[in-house]
C-alpha cells in the first residue's frame, strides 16, 4: 500500500477539525498519516490515527524559544516527522539544520519524511538532479549509521509545484524519481520509498497513479477538505 501523508500546514482550527474527523471517521486506512498543527495532534491520536509533526527542533532540549523538541512531540504519540519542507527551508533557513534534525528524529525512532526539490529557476536551468543530490548528501552523509530502508522516506517536491496547481509531466517525474532511487542505491546502498508532493489533487491523481515508481504522496491543500481528501485517497492504489 502506498503511503499517504496529509500535511495541514498552519491551517484549520479545533472546531473545524472536529467536523473533519467526524466526516472521515471509519474511512481512513492504515496507510494514511496526518500532520496537523501540533496543537491538535491529540485529537487525531485519540481517534487512533497515525500522526506526525511538520518539523522538529534541531536540538533535543534547551533554550530555543518557540521550538518543539522530539522528546516533547513523542509524548503526543508522533510516529513520523517531516524534515526540510521547502517552506521551512525558505522562511526558517532549515537547509542548515536538516542534518541535525534527521539525526535527532532517527535516533529517537521517529520515521522521517525528508523533503527535497528544486525551484523553478533550477528546473528551467536543468540542474534539478544536482540540487536533489546535494540535498540528499547533506541529510544522509553524516547520518548513514542511523538510516535504514524503513526509517527514512524521501518526498520529492518540486518547489514550483507546491500550491500552484502545476506538476511535472509523467515523463519528467518518472525520470527524476528513477534518478533519485538510483542515486540512493548507488551512493548509499539504500532502497528508500520516494513520495511525490506538490499540487496532488483529484484531477491529476489518475495520471500520477500511472507512475509505478511513486511510493506515495505528500498532500497539502487537497487534504484540507474531508470529502475531497477521501475521494483522493480512494483513487490511490
Ligand atoms: P500542496 O502542498 O499539495 O498544497 O501543493 C504539498 C506540500 O507542501 O507538501
Amino acid at each position: 500500500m502506498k503511503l499517504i501523508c496529509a500535511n495541514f500546514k498552519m491551517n484549520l482550527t479545533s472546531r473545524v477539525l472536529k467536523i473533519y474527523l467526524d466526516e472521515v471517521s471509519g474511512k481512513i486506512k492504515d496507510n494514511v498519516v496526518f500532520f496537523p498543527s501540533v496543537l491538535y495532534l491529540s485529537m487525531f491520536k485519540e481517534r487512533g490515527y497515525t500522526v506526525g509533526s511538520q518539523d522538529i527542533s534541531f536540538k533535543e532540549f534547551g533554550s530555543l524559544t518557540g521550538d518543539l523538541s522530539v522528546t516533547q512531540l513523542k509524548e503526543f504519540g508522533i510516529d513520523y516527522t517531516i524534515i526540510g519542507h521547502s517552506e521551512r527551508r525558505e522562511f526558517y533557513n532549515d537547509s542548515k539544520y536538516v542534518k541535525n534534525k534527521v539525526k535527532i528524529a532517527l535516533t529517537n525512532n521517529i520515521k522521517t519524511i525528508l523533503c527535497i526539490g528544486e525551484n523553478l529557476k533550477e528546473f528551467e536551468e536543468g540542474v534539478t538532479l544536482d540540487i536533489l543530490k546535494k540535498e540528499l548528501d547533506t541529510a544522509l552523509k553524516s547520518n548513514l549509521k542511523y538510516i535504514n530502508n524503513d526509517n527514512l522516506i524521501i518526498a520529492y517536491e518540486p518547489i514550483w509545484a507546491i500550491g500552484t496547481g502545476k506538476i511535472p509531466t509523467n515523463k519528467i517525474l518518472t525520470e527524476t524519481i528513477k534518478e533519485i532511487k538510483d542515486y540512493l542505491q548507488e551512493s548509499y546502498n539504500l532502497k528508500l520509498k520516494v513520495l511525490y508532493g506538490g499540487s496532488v489533487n483529484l484531477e491529476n491523481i489518475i495520471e500520477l497513479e500511472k507512475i509505478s515508481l511513486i511510493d506515495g504522496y505528500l498532500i497539502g491543500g487537497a487534504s484540507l477538505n474531508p470529502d475531497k481528501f477521501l475521494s483522493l485517497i480512494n483513487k490511490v492504489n
Side-chain angles (χ1 to χ4, degrees):
M1 254 200 308
K2 288 185 186 134
L3 181 65
I4 297 173
C5 297
N7 177 12
F8 290 0
K9 309 189 181 184
M10 201 175 64
N11 294 301
L12 309 183
T13 57
S14 60
R15 187 184 62 80
V16 180
L17 282 172
K18 274 190 199 117
I19 302 166
Y20 187 109
L21 286 166
D22 286 343
E23 289 206 22
V24 301
S25 181
K27 296 171 194 148
I28 298 288
K29 294 190 207 123
D30 288 349
N31 61 331
V32 176
V33 184
F34 287 105
F35 296 80
S37 157
V38 289
L39 296 172
Y40 311 128
L41 281 172
S42 51
M43 289 173 74
F44 286 76
K45 251 340 241 193
E46 277 161 19
R47 308 229 182 179
Y49 296 124
T50 307
V51 294
S53 60
Q54 298 170 16
D55 184 38
I56 57 169
S57 176
F58 69 100
K59 288 202 176 163
E60 287 199 54
F61 55 87
S63 304
L64 285 161
T65 303
D67 255 13
L68 287 166
S69 82
V70 72
T71 319
Q72 294 166 330
L73 289 163
K74 273 166 78 171
E75 290 192 328
F76 283 82
I78 61 159
D79 290 311
Y80 287 80
T81 186
I82 297 171
I83 288 178
H85 190 282
S86 64
E87 286 151 15
R88 294 218 52 98
R89 289 183 192 262
E90 181 179 355
F91 300 115
Y92 303 95
N93 201 15
D94 255 24
S95 294
K96 190 173 154 196
Y97 303 111
V98 159
K99 189 170 90 174
N100 291 56
K101 290 186 178 194
V102 168
K103 178 179 172 192
I104 285 180
L106 297 183
T107 52
N108 278 279
N109 296 320
I110 301 298
K111 290 194 184 195
T112 298
I113 314 279
L114 172 71
C115 297
I116 58 171
E118 81 288 358
N119 64 29
L120 187 59
K121 185 166 170 279
E122 291 157 348
F123 175 72
E124 286 171 349
E125 284 171 359
V127 295
T128 297
L129 198 57
D130 299 330
I131 300 297
L132 302 181
K133 284 181 179 174
K134 200 171 124 209
E135 289 182 336
L136 288 171
D137 289 344
T138 304
L140 271 67
K141 248 187 193 149
S142 63
N143 289 319
L144 273 180
K145 57 177 174 295
Y146 312 117
I147 300 172
N148 61 49
N149 288 335
D150 287 320
N151 66 7
L152 185 67
I153 295 151
I154 306 301
Y156 170 53
E157 299 205 301
I159 298 169
W160 53 272
I162 296 175
T164 59
K166 294 181 201 142
I167 66 167
T169 61
N170 273 21
K171 185 171 178 290
I172 291 177
L173 210 42
T174 305
E175 275 167 19
T176 309
I177 293 183
K178 185 171 184 318
E179 280 162 348
I180 294 170
K181 290 192 173 186
D182 287 350
Y183 183 67
L184 289 167
Q185 179 78 62
E186 284 155 22
S187 301
Y188 295 105
N189 196 24
L190 285 167
K191 220 172 157 49
L192 305 185
K193 281 199 174 86
V194 178
L195 315 181
Y196 170 73
S199 293
V200 177
N201 62 33
L202 265 173
E203 284 76 52
N204 56 35
I205 191 66
I206 308 284
E207 275 303 297
L208 287 168
E209 277 291 284
K210 292 182 184 160
I211 305 175
S212 60
L213 288 173
I214 292 180
D215 300 308
Y217 303 97
L218 180 51
I219 304 170
S223 68
L224 295 175
N225 175 296
D227 294 331
K228 281 195 187 145
F229 184 55
L230 286 174
S231 310
L232 182 58
I233 62 178
N234 283 333
K235 291 192 163 49
V236 176
N237 291 314

